[in-house]
């Protein structure tokens, strides 16, 4: 009977020694899978944001090209019209004060 009672702590010790690494591996692998999912979601969101910025940049580039075309086509007339508009604003501000 004494031998049987002496084996119980030994068996418990062996079970803990072998079970602890298995439990640690399971918890760690679960944590890593969750972390990988979070990284994948963040990467997808970043790619979507980058695509939106690229689309905005393309739209702005198109607007600038259009303005450059207008300026090149109208040349000095556009500069004179801009000055007339500035002068009109200046006169309107002076009247309001």
């Amino acid at each position: 009977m004494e031998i049987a009672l002496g084996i119980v702590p030994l068996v418990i010790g062996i079970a803990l020694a072998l079970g602890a690494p298995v439990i640690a591996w399971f918890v760690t692998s679960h944590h890593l899978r969750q972390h990988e999912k979070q990284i994948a979601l963040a990467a997808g969101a970043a790619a979507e944001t980058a695509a939106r910025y690229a689309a905005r940049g393309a739209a702005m580039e198109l607007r600038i090209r259009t303005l450059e075309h207008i300026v090149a086509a109208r040349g000095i007339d556009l500069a004179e019209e801009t000055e007339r508009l500035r002068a009109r604003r200046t006169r309107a501000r002076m009247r309001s004060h």
Side-chain angles (χ1 to χ4, degrees):
M1 191 78 155
E2 289 181 25
I3 295 175
L5 291 178
I7 281 186
V8 171
L10 178 66
V11 170
I12 292 173
I14 290 172
L16 287 175
L18 296 176
V22 171
I23 292 170
W25 172 81
F26 179 77
V27 170
T28 304
S29 66
H30 176 73
H31 175 71
L32 287 175
R33 282 193 304 269
Q34 289 298 108
H35 192 63
E36 286 172 352
K37 287 179 185 176
Q38 289 176 344
I39 290 172
L41 288 173
E48 187 177 318
T49 301
R52 270 191 261 128
Y53 282 131
R56 285 182 191 165
M60 289 301 292
E61 185 176 340
L62 181 61
R63 291 171 113 184
I64 290 171
R65 284 185 187 165
T66 303
L67 289 172
E68 288 173 343
H69 178 72
I70 291 169
V71 169
R74 292 185 60 193
I76 294 177
D77 292 338
L78 182 63
E80 290 173 356
E81 186 175 337
T82 304
E83 289 303 317
R84 279 195 304 271
L85 289 171
R86 271 195 198 125
R88 189 182 306 162
R89 277 193 204 155
T90 303
R91 285 193 303 267
R93 283 188 199 144
M94 293 176 124
R95 280 187 237 143
S96 67
H97 290 291

